Amino acid sequence: MTDVSSIEKGGRVNTKTVPDVADDEAELARMGYKQELKCNFGVSFSIISVITGIPSLFLYGLNTGGPAVMTWGFVVVAFFTMLVGLAMGEVCSAHPTSGGPYFWAAMLSEPQNAAFASWVTGWFNLLGQVAVTAGIGYGCANFISTLATFKTDFVPEPRTTIGVYAGVLVAQALINTFGVHLLKYINNISIWWHAVGTTAVVIAVLAAAPSHQSAHFVFQKFIDNTGVDGVGWSERASPAYVVVVGILMAQYTLTGFDGSAHMTEETRNAAMSGSIGIVMAIGVSAILGWFLILGLLFSIQDLDKTINSPTGQPVAQIFLDTVGEKGAIVLMVIVIGAMFFCGTFSLTSNSRMMYAFARDGGIPGHKFFHKVSRGTKSPIRTVWLACTLSFILALPSLGSSVAFSAVTSIATIGLYISYAIPIALRVVYRKRFVRGPFHLGPFSYPVAVTACVWIAFISIAFILPQANPVDSQTLNYTIVAVGIVLAYCMGFWIISARKWFAGPIKQIDETDAEIDGGDGSSSAEVAQTGEEKRL
C-alpha cells in the first residue's frame, strides 16, 4: 500500500492509502480523473528540439545581437530555464495529470479562487501550445521550401510556404489520429534522431569547413541589423535593448518542456517520471543546443553571404559552404526530420492539453471536443482542433516580414505565463503545498521566486518591437495575439464563465474509484451516468 495526500477545502491535509498495483491510476483517481489515454512515453526532449529552434531562428539571432548574444544569451537563458523546470517539476510531482499547469493552478489556489486561476492559466497555456505547434510546423515548411531550391529554379514565396506548412500539419495530425499506437516507437526514434543528428551536423560542418571563425568572433562579435532603414535599435535605443530582444532564439528553443506534464496520464510512475522528464529534457537540450550554436558559428565562411543567403536560411548556406550541395541535402534532411518529429509530438502534447481543458468545460464546444476515440483511446477531435488553430495563427506570414518571430514570441510568452501562475501560487500558498516524491528541499522557495521573476522579464521583453522602424510590415503582433486571448478570457469570465466554470471536474468519486477506464466516449458522460465499463 502507498500513502497519498490531498488538500481538502480549508487547507486540511488528508492522507489515505491506495494499492501499489495501479499507483498511477490510483493517483489520478485521487485527483478525480480516470486514465483514459493509453500509451506510455515521454515527449519533452522531442518537443524542445534544439535542432528545430536554433536553425529556425538562426537568421533572427545573427541580426539581433549576433554571435555574442547567441552564444552567451543561450547560457543565461538555459540557466534560468532550468530553474523554471525545477520549480515546475516539483509541482508536477505533486499533481500529475494531463491538464498540467491549468490543473496545478486550481489545486494550488484557495478554493474560492481555484476556478479563476485555472481558467486564466488554461487559456495562456492553450495560446502557447497552439503557437509553438505553429512555429515548429512553419519552420519545417521553411526548410522544406529551402531544400526545394537546391539544384532547381524553385523560388519560395509566402503562399507556397504556407501550402507546404498546411501539408506538414496534416501529415502530423494523421500520425496522431491513426498512428497513436506507433507514437512511443516514433518517440524513441526521435530521441536518437535528435541526439545523433545534432552531433552529426556539428561534426560534419566543423570537419569540412575550409576555414573557421575566431573565438573572438564567436564569443564577442556583436551585430545589430534590426534597422530596416539602416538605423538599428542599438542606435535608436541602446545595445542592451538588442540583447534583450535577441535572446528570443534561446528562450523559444528551450520551450515546450511541459509536454511531460501533459503526458503523465500515459506514463508509468507519473509522479516522478513527469518531473524527471522536464528537468532532463532541459539539461540535455541546453548542452546539445550550445554545442550546435558553437559548431554553426565557428563554421561560417562569409558572414554577409550567410546573413543574406539566396536560400533565405543562413544554416542552409553554412551547409553549402562547408559540405557542398550533396552533403547539404543530407544535413537538411536531418534538420527537417527533427523538425517533423518535434512538430508531431508538439501536436500530441497540444491535443492532450486541449482535451483536458475541454474535459473540464474550459473551451467553446467542450461537449464536442472532450471525446476520446473508442478505437485509439486518443483525443482525435482536439488533434484536428489544434491543427486548425495552428494553421490560422501562421496566416499573417502572407503579409508580414516578422510573422515567424512573432509566432515564436507568442509561443514563448503564452507557455511561460502558464508555467509562472502555478509556480507563483505554490510560493504564495507554500504552507498548503504537499510535496510529491520529486522536491527541492530548502531550495524550493528561492528557485520558484527566481523562476517567476525571469518569466515576468521575458514576457515583457518579447512583446517589444524587434525591427526598426515599426510599421505594418515589421509590427510585432505578439501583443495583439496575447491581448486578444487576455481580453477574451477575462471578459468571458466576467460575463459568463465565472457563473459555471468550476475548474478541473472530478470524473469519479474517489471513494468508489475503480481503475479500469471508461467507455471510450466521454469523461463527462461517465461522471453523469456513474457507469463504468471495462475496455
Side-chain angles (χ1 to χ4, degrees), residues 235-319:
E235 291 184 54
R236 185 174 180 181
S238 75
Y241 182 94
V242 179
V243 172
V244 168
V245 297
I247 63 172
L248 172 63
M249 184 196 77
Q251 194 67 79
Y252 168 70
T253 298
L254 298 175
T255 296
F257 45 85
D258 60 324
S260 289
H262 293 303
M263 301 304 294
T264 51
E265 292 182 24
E266 307 177 42
T267 309
R268 298 184 187 279
N269 190 22
M272 277 298 289
S273 62
S275 303
I276 293 174
I278 290 171
V279 174
M280 286 195 65
I282 295 172
V284 174
S285 297
I287 295 170
L288 279 177
W290 206 55
F291 180 53
L292 178 60
I293 289 172
L294 293 180
L296 291 173
L297 290 175
F298 272 114
S299 300
I300 291 176
Q301 300 302 298
D302 184 323
L303 179 61
D304 290 335
K305 183 180 178 183
T306 300
I307 292 176
N308 301 301
S309 172
T311 68
Q313 297 292 339
V315 170
Q317 190 62 50
I318 293 172
F319 293 165

Side-chain angles (χ1 to χ4, degrees), residues 6-24:
S6 60
I7 299 177
E8 297 181 340
K9 194 170 183 177
R12 183 169 63 86
V13 178
N14 175 49
T15 302
K16 61 169 63 183
T17 59
V18 295
D20 284 332
V21 67
D23 285 342
D24 296 334

Side-chain angles (χ1 to χ4, degrees), residues 458-484:
I458 62 173
S459 297
I460 295 171
F462 296 155
I463 63 174
L464 298 174
Q466 298 163 343
N468 178 51
V470 179
D471 55 31
S472 61
Q473 284 290 309
T474 61
L475 173 69
N476 180 359
Y477 69 91
T478 301
I479 186 63
V480 177
V482 174
I484 290 174

Side-chain angles (χ1 to χ4, degrees), residues 176-468:
N176 275 279
T177 299
F178 301 107
V180 176
H181 62 291
L182 299 175
L183 283 177
K184 61 182 178 181
Y185 304 109
I186 296 174
N187 185 62
N188 290 335
I189 296 172
S190 175
I191 291 172
W192 284 103
W193 187 284
H194 279 84
V196 177
T198 302
T199 305
V201 166
V202 174
I203 292 176
V205 296
L206 284 174
S211 62
H212 296 96
Q213 294 290 341
S214 65
H216 180 274
F217 172 86
V218 172
F219 295 104
Q220 298 183 44
K221 178 71 172 178
F222 178 83
I223 299 172
D224 178 18
N225 288 336
T226 58
V228 177
D229 58 359
V231 180
W233 284 114
S234 61
E235 291 184 54
R236 185 174 180 181
S238 75
Y241 182 94
V242 179
V243 172
V244 168
V245 297
I247 63 172
L248 172 63
M249 184 196 77
Q251 194 67 79
Y252 168 70
T253 298
L254 298 175
T255 296
F257 45 85
D258 60 324
S260 289
H262 293 303
M263 301 304 294
T264 51
E265 292 182 24
E266 307 177 42
T267 309
R268 298 184 187 279
N269 190 22
M272 277 298 289
S273 62
S275 303
I276 293 174
I278 290 171
V279 174
M280 286 195 65
I282 295 172
V284 174
S285 297
I287 295 170
L288 279 177
W290 206 55
F291 180 53
L292 178 60
I293 289 172
L294 293 180
L296 291 173
L297 290 175
F298 272 114
S299 300
I300 291 176
Q301 300 302 298
D302 184 323
L303 179 61
D304 290 335
K305 183 180 178 183
T306 300
I307 292 176
N308 301 301
S309 172
T311 68
Q313 297 292 339
V315 170
Q317 190 62 50
I318 293 172
F319 293 165
L320 290 169
D321 291 342
T322 54
V323 298
E325 193 167 48
K326 291 183 179 179
I329 292 173
V330 174
L331 297 186
M332 287 290 285
V333 169
I334 291 175
V335 173
I336 291 169
M339 290 178 169
F340 187 83
F341 284 135
C342 176
T344 298
F345 288 105
S346 175
L347 188 59
T348 305
S349 176
N350 192 345
S351 64
R352 268 54 174 181
M353 182 274 156
M354 288 186 177
Y355 161 76
F357 204 24
R359 174 175 63 187
D360 298 331
I363 63 175
H366 62 88
K367 291 183 179 180
F368 175 79
F369 289 115
H370 71 175
K371 303 287 185 179
V372 175
S373 168
R374 191 182 302 274
T376 66
K377 306 299 178 289
S378 176
I380 290 175
R381 295 181 183 183
T382 54
V383 167
W384 289 95
L385 173 63
C387 181
T388 302
L389 293 177
S390 296
F391 179 76
I392 292 172
L393 189 60
L395 287 177
S397 65
L398 292 172
S400 171
S401 61
V402 296
F404 182 74
S405 59
V407 168
T408 59
S409 294
I410 294 168
T412 306
I413 290 174
L415 287 177
Y416 274 93
I417 288 179
S418 73
Y419 301 165
I421 295 174
I423 293 173
L425 291 171
R426 183 257 179 276
V427 171
V428 173
Y429 301 115
R430 59 188 180 278
K431 293 182 179 179
R432 300 177 63 244
F433 183 71
V434 178
R435 299 187 313 193
F438 179 92
H439 58 83
L440 306 178
F443 297 100
S444 177
Y445 184 72
V447 166
V449 170
T450 305
C452 290
V453 172
W454 175 254
I455 292 172
F457 166 71
I458 62 173
S459 297
I460 295 171
F462 296 155
I463 63 174
L464 298 174
Q466 298 163 343
N468 178 51

